[in-house]
Amino acid sequence: MGLGETLLAGLLVMVLAVALLSNALVLLCCAYSSKLRTRASGVLLVNLSLGHLLLAALDMPFTLLGVMRGRPPSAPGACQAIGFLDTFLASNAALSVAALSADQWLAVGFPLRYAGRLRPRDAGLLLGCAWGQSLVFSVAALGCSWLGYSSAFASCSLHLPPEPERPRFAAFTATLHAMGFALPLAVLCLTSLRVHRVARSHCQRMDIVTMKALMLLADLHPSVRQRCLIQQKRRRHRATRKIGISIASFLICFAPYVVTRLAELAPFVTVNAHWGILSKCLTYSKAAADPFTYSLLRRSFRQVLARMVRRLLKRTPRPASTHNSSLDLASMVQQVLKRTPHPASTHNSSLDAENDSCLQQTH
């Protein structure tokens, strides 16, 4: 095994370890907190993490062996079974990400009607459609004997058939990536654009409320005022940063592998083994990145993890600091609005309730 294979094997081991640990933490959080698993978004996250965990446990180790040994598994039928799982779980992961982006758009765009628009049963129906589509492509590839060991990617997945079957295989590969990559990417971009517009509108409303509060509190300490302005700037860029990370991770992880698979169909193209394995590792890295992008970095999951650690260590939670609570911008704005009379108080209170609900869904 040369230097390139050693580096790629080390990268794959790191991705495998992070994917196993992070997805297991997400499933533990959902099992520990009934509030997380009973939501529609919780059902989608459990499906995504479970698929990534199966991919890391049942598919990545055989690719690692292929990188180290340069040959497929010796057991009869093992490579076809692994290829079936690889095709099914990769397509299901991309469709699950699209479903999560649609769920986020409904949560941010319709916060007061979100619970009635997307219930856990509706999320189950979405997942049923995603599983059905992934299963159709996997069964079709298995039935046509297009699953096997691909030396260019050192993995059991789709492999080029003999020359007479190339046109059918090319049509199948193009359709698979159109439905499993282009369609989820289009849904992700469209819903993210809608989320960004709604978040920007609500940030503008909150900026107006913040400036009014700072004008009314003339005796406010300059450090507190400066902190409020810093929070205002962070709030403007928070939604853009999160949306950019989700779209960039999808493209970086899936696009190189999809483009390489489509270029492989040309008769004059030969895929370099190092590049093919690297593109496959990037696809696997989505299983390690998604738990942080959609779950573990959110406030609700951090709180559940903290409760689990405290229970494991048998410690009681610390009381909230009075100094930090006095500097909380949201509570300060609410107190100012309660004390200050306004002729359109009913309209403002409804806007504040809507803003608070949207901020909770965004966090």
Side-chain angles (χ1 to χ4, degrees), residues 27 31-32 50 57 74 130 150 154 170 172-173 205 211 226 231 287 293 299 301 311 330 352 356 363:
L27 293 178
Y32 183 82
L50 184 60
S74 57
S150 177
F172 173 82
T173 304
R205 294 183 183 181
M211 296 307 297
Q226 184 67 23
Q231 290 180 359
T293 304
R299 181 180 301 175
F301 278 86
R311 184 174 180 178
D352 295 338
D356 293 340
H363 291 309

Side-chain angles (χ1 to χ4, degrees), residues 61-333:
F62 292 97
T63 302
L64 179 61
L65 291 177
V67 174
M68 298 174 63
R69 298 180 179 179
R71 63 176 185 269
S74 57
C79 199
Q80 285 75 18
I82 297 168
F84 180 90
L85 280 176
D86 180 83
T87 305
F88 175 81
L89 294 174
S91 179
N92 179 66
L95 294 172
S96 298
V97 169
L100 276 172
S101 63
D103 171 78
Q104 186 181 16
W105 170 58
L106 291 175
V108 175
F110 310 95
L112 302 180
R113 294 174 288 176
Y114 167 71
R117 283 178 175 265
L118 188 62
R119 295 166 292 181
R121 183 180 62 184
D122 302 325
L125 292 176
L126 282 177
L127 294 181
C129 295
W131 281 57
Q133 177 179 323
S134 304
L135 190 62
V136 166
F137 284 108
S138 303
V139 170
L142 183 63
C144 296
S145 300
W146 291 337
L147 296 176
Y149 182 77
S150 177
S151 58
F153 301 94
S155 62
C156 296
S157 58
L158 294 173
H159 73 286
L160 289 173
E163 191 63 34
E165 297 185 15
R166 290 289 179 88
R168 285 200 309 152
F169 180 77
F172 173 82
T173 304
T175 306
L176 171 64
H177 293 307
M179 300 298 294
F181 172 76
L183 179 61
L185 179 62
V187 173
L188 179 62
C189 293
L190 180 61
T191 54
S192 298
L193 180 61
R194 298 289 182 87
V195 169
H196 184 266
R197 287 179 179 177
V198 174
R200 186 175 180 180
S201 174
H202 285 290
C203 285
Q204 291 176 354
R205 294 183 183 181
M206 290 299 298
D207 291 344
I208 294 174
V209 174
T210 302
M211 296 307 297
K212 287 182 178 180
L214 294 177
M215 292 175 62
L216 291 173
L217 295 175
D219 56 345
L220 193 64
H221 194 273
S223 62
V224 179
R225 186 184 299 271
Q226 184 67 23
R227 179 169 295 188
C228 294
L229 295 176
I230 292 175
Q231 290 180 359
Q232 182 178 354
K233 291 180 181 179
R234 289 177 180 176
R235 188 170 58 242
R236 293 174 184 172
H237 302 288
R238 186 179 300 155
T240 304
R241 184 174 63 252
K242 289 183 177 180
I243 291 171
I245 290 174
S246 62
I247 296 177
S249 65
F250 190 91
L251 286 174
I252 292 174
C253 294
F254 284 130
Y257 181 75
V258 171
V259 172
T260 305
R261 278 296 192 182
L262 294 177
E264 185 186 26
L265 300 175
F268 54 87
V269 173
T270 302
V271 178
N272 180 269
H274 290 166
W275 168 251
I277 298 172
L278 179 60
S279 65
K280 191 66 177 178
C281 290
L282 288 176
T283 304
Y284 287 150
S285 67
K286 194 73 169 71
D290 279 349
F292 298 97
T293 304
Y294 297 102
S295 304
L296 296 178
L297 295 182
R298 291 187 177 182
R299 181 180 301 175
S300 57
F301 278 86
R302 294 201 306 265
Q303 291 174 351
V304 173
L305 283 174
R307 291 202 303 267
M308 292 171 59
V309 172
R310 285 196 299 265
R311 184 174 180 178
L312 184 63
L313 299 177
K314 297 182 180 180
R315 294 181 179 179
T316 57
R318 296 181 180 180
S321 174
T322 307
H323 177 69
N324 291 336
S325 61
S326 63
L327 295 181
D328 186 68
L329 179 60
S331 61
M332 182 190 69
V333 171

